[in-house]
């Protein structure tokens, strides 16, 4: 993509010094889980001091708010906008499958765990999930011509994704098989 048409990779309100800390937070979440997301860990990950951190963010709560918004924007909204630009419904479903199979599952799982104890994070996760369900439902509806079934398929796809993210036995291959099986089932006429 040319630079003028490429989606932004940062939230509009984030500054360059902040991006380093936000990326570090996502890395910590992915590698070590939500319990490890602490100021000391973020500073260690970025090889900076707490003073540098507080230059970028006024406090920990602000950082956490920026982090979850950064995740929503970069790991959901940008991807959804890219998929929405695909006009052909079948190609859009293929693009959705590609996105779903390349999400950062470990950080997403940690964020979902975090959301169980933080209502602000839970609200952002719910909004991201609703936007994901909407684009999946719209895509399936355009493909099969049945809005009710499209909505059900979208919710089933999200259940597969969240189950994979939070489960302990699902492999990438099983997730891929499940998503492709769901698509095959969606394309089968109902009797």
């Amino acid at each position: 993509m040319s630079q003028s048409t490429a989606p932004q990779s940062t939230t509009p309100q984030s500054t360059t010094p902040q991006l380093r800390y936000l990326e570090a937070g996502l890395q910590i979440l992915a590698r070590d889980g939500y319990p490890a997301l602490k100021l000391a860990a973020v500073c260690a990950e970025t090889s900076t001091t707490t003073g540098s951190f507080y230059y970028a963010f006024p406090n920990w709560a602000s950082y956490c708010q920026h982090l979850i918004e950064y995740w929503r924007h970069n790991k959901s909204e940008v991807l959804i906008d890219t998929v929405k630009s695909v006009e052909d419904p079948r190609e859009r479903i293929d693009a959705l499958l590609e996105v779903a199979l390349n999400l950062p599952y470990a950080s997403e799982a940690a964020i979902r765990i975090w959301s169980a104890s933080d209502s602000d994070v839970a609200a952002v996760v719910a909004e991201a999930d609703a936007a994901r369900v909407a684009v999946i439902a719209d895509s399936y509806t355009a493909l099969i011509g049945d809005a009710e079934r499209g909505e059900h398929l979208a919710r089933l796809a999200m259940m597969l994704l969240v189950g994979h993210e939070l489960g302990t036995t699902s492999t990438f291959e099983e997730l891929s098989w499940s998503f492709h099986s769901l698509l095959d089932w969606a394309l089968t006429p109902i009797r």
Side-chain angles (χ1 to χ4, degrees), residues 81-148:
D81 289 344
T82 300
V83 167
K84 282 181 174 179
S85 71
V86 178
E87 291 186 30
D88 179 79
R90 179 65 170 101
E91 290 176 12
R92 192 174 329 122
I93 292 289
D94 289 339
L96 281 166
L97 288 171
E98 185 69 22
V99 165
L101 292 171
N102 287 290
L103 286 172
Y105 306 117
S107 60
E108 291 226 351
I111 288 168
R112 290 182 187 285
I113 291 166
W114 181 9
S115 74
S117 63
D118 186 316
S119 61
D120 292 334
V121 174
V124 171
V125 170
E127 290 167 6
D129 285 350
R132 290 172 176 185
V133 166
V135 72
I136 297 167
D138 290 346
S139 300
Y140 269 118
T141 298
L143 182 64
I144 63 175
D146 182 339
E148 183 178 1

Side-chain angles (χ1 to χ4, degrees), residues 3 5 21 26 38 45 47 55 92 106-107 147 149 159 186:
Q3 210 173 27
T5 60
Y21 292 106
L26 290 179
K38 307 285 186 218
E45 188 77 22
S47 300
Y55 180 77
R92 192 174 329 122
S107 60
R149 190 165 181 230
M159 287 180 217

Side-chain angles (χ1 to χ4, degrees), residues 17-39 41-46 53 57 60 63-64 66-68 70-71 75 106-108 110-111 114:
Q18 289 176 329
L19 294 178
R20 186 173 179 191
Y21 292 106
L22 298 173
E23 282 297 322
L26 290 179
Q27 290 171 2
I28 291 165
L29 287 168
R31 185 184 61 235
D32 305 320
Y34 169 64
L37 185 64
K38 307 285 186 218
L39 176 59
V42 172
C43 290
E45 188 77 22
T46 57
F53 175 89
F57 297 95
W60 183 252
Y63 171 75
C64 290
H66 276 82
L67 179 60
I68 195 66
Y70 180 75
W71 166 78
K75 305 305 178 191
S107 60
E108 291 226 351
I111 288 168
W114 181 9

